[in-house]
Amino acid sequence: MVENTQTPKVVVVGAGWAGLGATHHLAKQGYDVTLLEASPQAGGLVAGWKTPGGRSVEAGIHGFWYPYQNIFSLVRELRLDPFTPWTRSAQYSPDGLVVESPIFQDLPRLPMPLGTFVYTQFKRLPLSDRLSALPLLYAVIDFDNSEEAWRRYDCITARELFKQYGVSARLYHEAFNPMLLVGLFAPGEQCSAAAALGMLYYFILAHQPDFDVVWCRGTVGDRIFNPWIETIENSGGKVLTNRRVSDLKLDETGKATAVICGDEQFDADAVIFAVGIGGMKKIVAGSSALQNHSEFRNIQNLGGIDVLSTRLWFDRKITIPKPSNACFGFDPTTGWTFFDLNALHDEFKDESGTVIEADFYHANQFLPLDDDEIVDIVHGYLKTCIPDFKSAQICDRSVVRLRQAVTHFFPGSHQFMLPATTSFENVFMSGDWIVNRHGSWSQEKAYVTGLEAANLICDRFQYGKKAQIIPVEPDEDHVQVLRQMNRSVRDIAKSVIPDLWLP
């Protein structure tokens, strides 16, 4: 209950999807909530750069997939219209076009996984290789996002998993590994099998339309975050930038009473951390309060993945068949994507030339290069995918290096990732790396965990209504039946042979 009948004070750290989600809900419920962001603007690292030609740029571009129902609900609540129509995508290798994807929701719906299997247009992959994925369906059924399933599969790599289930080398190198390179941002030998199964199921396999995607028609900051912050402030919430958290203040019982930012102190009855792994590791490294708790010290075992974000302005219009494209095979451990911003962003629709966003994941080997070297490499790769780029000249560009920018779900990482509750009774966690059972990934998961943290605050103080979180679409009937049968068999096996090693 609220002590002394005062409005509870909550401090949220980090102004991304998780932090804004928590702050928004708590402000609507009448909490005295303050959101602290270390960067000069909400969204953290995504904005704030200029090209040599003076253009403002946002680093990276983010898709919003069909299962992002909580984010879509938020956008409707805010009365925003930020998204493109559903778009088709393509995949390229150094050999040219490899895969084209339709808009799956426009096609007759087939049971999982037939829609993905039948409607995806593979240009070079023989049917025999595609059929070699069928045994992998057992692992898909077995991985039900439970804690037990994570423990079973998080100890091996995705590459080991695919090999174990007989996936052909060609299917792995031309389909599954490219998905990991742009979905988990690392090659299969560096990805947890559990994370691979969770990501592939959520974005691709669970339901036929899940791979359908829309894009923001401008920067996420301008189209969503800025009006969202205005709504938060109109509800009484405070959003403060350039506030880098250095520690927590604790009382004699070990409960957090304030968040410290250098010389500033923000009193708090509860705290929500909503920052990425890199940011959280920095906070822990400087915080004596957090260092005294083992789960926060163990965060130092986690890591991030380097991202390179480039934007190129060309001197002429080039026809690009699909607005969003994923690429593999150009570098052995790096995936990349390129986007036709003339088709996706309103501000570039009437541009006289072509504007391309090209982002590289697990981009360690590129970051030491100077900008000119990077731009030459990107231009060369684009020429391989779309030959018309050979006759185009670059007239402006941006190159942004984002070190440790996205979560690395490596084998064994799950044991160090935190749940929403911590050993501090009034400190809570949110973000795309937090352990939860909702089943979502990426931006949707970050937003959902922000709402979950806000709900824990409402439970703690018995103050305000809890946020209504839309669950992921239920498994299809045949998947539910198969998963129940699998759980029953596992339970019987454990009762007969308790120490049986079950994969």
Side-chain angles (χ1 to χ4, degrees):
M1 297 294 291
V2 183
E3 297 179 3
N4 302 324
T5 69
Q6 293 181 349
T7 303
K9 291 183 177 180
V10 181
V11 174
V12 181
V13 181
W17 285 100
L20 288 168
T23 303
H24 182 210
H25 182 72
L26 293 174
K28 287 192 299 181
Q29 301 309 308
Y31 282 82
D32 181 351
V33 57
T34 301
L35 175 58
L36 305 177
E37 168 57 44
S39 300
Q41 66 285 314
L45 295 172
V46 300
W49 284 274
K50 294 278 189 181
T51 70
R55 295 178 172 92
S56 296
V57 295
E58 178 182 68
I61 184 170
H62 303 282
F64 296 81
W65 272 262
Y66 186 88
Y68 282 18
Q69 293 304 312
N70 287 282
I71 286 180
F72 293 145
S73 177
L74 166 71
V75 165
R76 291 191 295 270
E77 178 187 341
L78 297 176
R79 299 183 180 181
L80 303 177
D81 182 26
F83 298 131
T84 67
W86 301 101
T87 63
R88 296 186 61 190
S89 60
Q91 191 175 83
Y92 291 87
S93 78
D95 296 323
L97 180 64
V98 177
V99 181
E100 287 183 300
S101 298
I103 298 175
F104 287 95
Q105 62 193 283
D106 291 345
L107 300 169
R109 189 155 179 170
L110 301 175
M112 171 276 183
L114 292 179
T116 303
F117 185 83
V118 171
Y119 295 134
T120 303
Q121 300 162 24
F122 294 95
K123 303 297 183 181
R124 303 170 185 268
L125 196 61
L127 179 61
S128 58
D129 286 288
R130 284 179 267 166
L131 290 173
S132 73
L134 290 177
L136 185 66
L137 289 176
Y138 171 72
V140 173
I141 295 298
D142 191 43
F143 184 80
D144 59 3
N145 198 44
S146 65
E147 183 64 24
E148 294 77 12
W150 271 92
R151 289 175 182 172
R152 282 199 298 275
Y153 288 97
D154 191 56
C155 59
I156 63 172
T157 70
R159 184 169 187 167
E160 290 171 321
L161 175 76
F162 294 129
K163 185 175 181 180
Q164 175 183 332
Y165 282 93
V167 170
S168 75
R170 183 166 183 176
L171 179 61
Y172 172 77
H173 289 296
E174 295 190 13
F176 285 117
N177 198 46
M179 293 177 196
L180 298 175
L181 286 169
V182 299
L184 291 180
F185 313 114
E189 63 269 21
Q190 298 182 30
C191 292
S192 155
L197 288 169
M199 183 274 294
L200 291 172
Y201 190 70
Y202 179 72
F203 284 113
I204 299 173
L205 296 175
H207 310 93
Q208 183 177 301
D210 286 347
F211 195 61
D212 290 344
V213 62
V214 296
W215 306 89
C216 207
R217 300 196 335 263
T219 68
V220 172
D222 287 342
R223 295 280 179 165
I224 301 177
F225 283 5
N226 288 345
W228 195 5
I229 290 170
E230 183 178 349
T231 299
I232 289 170
E233 292 175 335
N234 289 339
S235 299
K238 297 178 283 293
V239 179
L240 306 179
T241 57
N242 291 307
R243 299 308 202 282
R244 188 172 299 278
V245 171
S246 52
D247 209 344
L248 295 180
K249 182 179 179 181
L250 308 179
D251 65 13
E252 64 279 359
T253 69
K255 186 170 65 176
T257 59
V259 174
I260 300 171
C261 298
D263 295 332
E264 290 185 283
Q265 177 175 299
F266 298 89
D267 293 340
D269 298 305
V271 177
I272 297 174
F273 283 109
V275 296
I277 286 174
M280 199 66 217
K281 289 171 71 172
K282 291 178 182 177
I283 291 173
V284 172
S287 167
S288 57
L290 295 176
Q291 289 169 11
N292 285 328
H293 290 245
S294 61
E295 81 262 43
F296 285 98
R297 292 196 302 271
N298 285 339
I299 290 174
Q300 301 301 331
N301 290 299
L302 299 174
I305 292 171
D306 294 337
V307 176
L308 175 69
S309 177
T310 69
R311 187 167 295 184
L312 306 180
W313 280 259
F314 290 89
D315 62 352
R316 66 197 65 188
K317 278 289 178 66
I318 297 166
T319 300
I320 301 171
K322 303 292 184 294
S324 63
N325 306 273
C327 306
F328 70 95
F330 293 79
D331 299 276
T333 60
T334 301
W336 63 287
T337 51
F338 71 94
F339 304 91
D340 178 4
L341 295 190
N342 300 78
L344 297 178
H345 282 197
D346 289 354
E347 66 176 302
F348 299 126
K349 288 189 183 300
D350 298 323
E351 190 91 5
S352 58
T354 299
V355 185
I356 296 293
E357 174 82 22
D359 299 328
F360 294 75
Y361 317 103
H362 201 265
N364 319 52
Q365 72 275 18
F366 292 127
L367 299 195
L369 302 177
D370 65 37
D371 288 2
D372 290 338
E373 291 175 304
I374 289 172
V375 168
D376 286 343
I377 290 171
V378 177
H379 194 184
Y381 287 0
L382 290 171
K383 294 174 187 177
T384 302
C385 300
I386 310 289
D388 285 352
F389 277 106
K390 293 177 182 178
S391 61
Q393 300 297 315
I394 296 170
C395 51
D396 202 0
R397 84 289 176 86
S398 71
V399 177
V400 180
R401 298 162 180 82
L402 302 169
R403 298 185 184 276
Q404 306 288 291
V406 293
T407 304
H408 187 190
F409 294 94
F410 59 87
S413 60
H414 180 75
Q415 63 188 304
F416 303 117
M417 292 181 176
L418 298 183
T421 56
T422 73
S423 55
F424 294 94
E425 64 175 87
N426 65 334
V427 174
F428 305 94
M429 305 298 299
S430 61
D432 71 350
W433 59 282
I434 298 306
V435 176
N436 78 341
R437 300 274 81 91
H438 182 262
S440 51
W441 279 81
S442 195
Q443 297 169 104
E444 174 80 353
K445 181 182 178 182
Y447 177 53
V448 166
T449 59
L451 297 181
E452 290 174 338
N455 286 347
L456 290 170
I457 297 286
C458 292
D459 278 339
R460 175 175 177 79
F461 295 105
Q462 294 295 295
Y463 186 87
K465 294 181 180 180
K466 294 166 68 172
Q468 296 297 310
I469 299 172
I470 302 170
V472 296
E473 185 177 348
D475 293 331
E476 294 180 2
D477 290 345
H478 65 291
V479 175
Q480 293 187 44
V481 170
L482 290 170
R483 283 187 163 164
Q484 184 56 53
M485 292 172 59
N486 181 64
R487 283 191 288 266
S488 297
V489 170
R490 281 191 169 277
D491 289 343
I492 293 171
K494 288 178 182 178
S495 65
V496 175
I497 313 176
D499 295 328
L500 181 66
W501 182 282
L502 292 175

